[in-house]
Amino acid sequence: MMGRWRHLCIDMQRMFAEDTLWHVEWMNRVLPQVEAAVEWSPDKTVFTRFMPPQNAAQVAGAWRKYYDKWEDMTLERMDIGLIDLIPELKRFVPPAMVFDKATYSPWIGGRLHEDLSRHGVETLVISGGETDFCVMATVLGAVDLGYKVAILSDAVCSGADDTHDAALRLLGDRFSIQLEVVSTEVFLRSASRNG
């Protein structure tokens, strides 16, 4: 499974972990598994952060309508500190890297893929949230770009049980040649064997 790999930890930010309009109840529940995966090799971890615009007028198309609805989660209205990583994870930066993105997918613009390609990365290990939004967008983009993907089943989270379960089932069943869904324990065991 491994080869040259990186761990993409998706949007484990205070604005999702704390009591906000975007609170993801499970985030703190999966934090110990995420932390274990990061701790094993922080220098191979890239944390993505979802970055809202200053206000809805700064974005176009359907994103403008989205931020009209969620205007309290724009940078001009929210506590700016909420964009930070959860403190338990922020302590790993550096050597872990942070990659900011303005959409569900981190692949828009190509910068992340270029950096990973420069380092010869073949496999991406995915943790974080939300399974049925940013994790799904990250995984589908990674598959399109030719990466082998391992999703840590007990280290991803969502605000909705049904769609979380459906997303993991869909990805595990329909993309089984290009990805696998494994527990954090299985990943760590494999990573330990393969260095």
Side-chain angles (χ1 to χ4, degrees), residues 77-154:
R77 300 283 295 267
M78 68 187 277
D79 169 3
I80 196 74
L82 291 172
I83 65 170
D84 279 342
L85 296 171
I86 296 171
E88 292 88 341
L89 299 176
K90 187 176 180 181
R91 69 188 173 96
F92 293 109
V93 179
M97 305 284 294
V98 175
F99 181 84
D100 292 339
K101 62 192 179 72
T103 61
Y104 300 136
S105 171
W107 306 114
I108 305 299
R111 291 179 304 126
L112 180 60
H113 178 54
E114 287 169 14
D115 184 60
L116 295 172
S117 295
R118 236 186 342 271
H119 290 93
V121 173
E122 303 163 345
T123 301
L124 297 176
V125 177
I126 309 292
S127 68
E130 289 190 61
T131 316
D132 41 357
F133 281 94
C134 294
V135 167
M136 172 102 48
T138 300
V139 168
L140 292 177
V143 167
D144 280 344
L145 290 166
Y147 294 100
K148 177 137 178 81
V149 177
I151 303 169
L152 303 183
S153 59
D154 55 350

Side-chain angles (χ1 to χ4, degrees), residues 20 57 59 62 104 120 127 132 150 171 194:
T20 70
V59 290
Y104 300 136
S127 68
D132 41 357
L171 292 168
N194 294 302

Side-chain angles (χ1 to χ4, degrees), residues 15-42:
M15 67 180 168
F16 302 116
E18 296 180 16
D19 187 17
T20 70
L21 295 171
W22 286 351
H23 177 66
V24 178
E25 187 178 336
W26 301 8
M27 192 161 277
N28 288 316
R29 227 169 48 204
V30 301
L31 181 57
Q33 290 79 251
V34 172
E35 199 171 355
V38 174
E39 194 165 34
W40 191 83
S41 198

